[in-house]
Amino acid sequence: SGYIPMNRVIEPAGEAKSDLEIFCDLAERLGLPGYREKSEEEWLKEFLRSASEMPDYETWKKKSFLRDV
């Protein structure tokens, strides 16, 4: 298994939303504050910091793929 960073190629068409926008909308509907306070990059950095088996953000971004061995 692994994690692949994906860069946006084009802006979402029409009413399409990014995963983060969908999660933020859902959190808002559920009354959970704080989800719109960070960018996608900030959320990724926080996720990687909290996952002990993951490298730091810059290493992960350059490596492009991390495979569990």
Side-chain angles (χ1 to χ4, degrees), residues 7-67:
N7 296 313
R8 181 177 288 168
V9 177
I10 60 171
E11 291 299 314
E15 295 184 28
K17 296 181 179 185
S18 72
D19 289 346
L20 179 60
E21 289 175 288
I22 293 168
F23 296 143
C24 288
D25 289 348
L26 181 59
E28 192 173 283
R29 289 180 184 187
L30 294 171
L32 302 170
Y35 281 84
R36 295 195 190 274
E37 296 171 2
K38 297 178 187 167
S39 68
E40 290 181 8
E41 184 176 30
E42 290 169 322
W43 277 114
L44 281 170
K45 287 178 178 180
E46 185 171 319
F47 167 74
L48 291 168
R49 273 193 304 271
S50 67
S52 61
E53 71 279 1
M54 296 295 290
D56 66 88
Y57 177 78
E58 294 303 322
T59 303
W60 176 76
K61 193 103 166 136
K62 287 177 190 172
K63 194 171 183 179
S64 251
F65 183 74
L66 176 67
R67 184 179 178 106

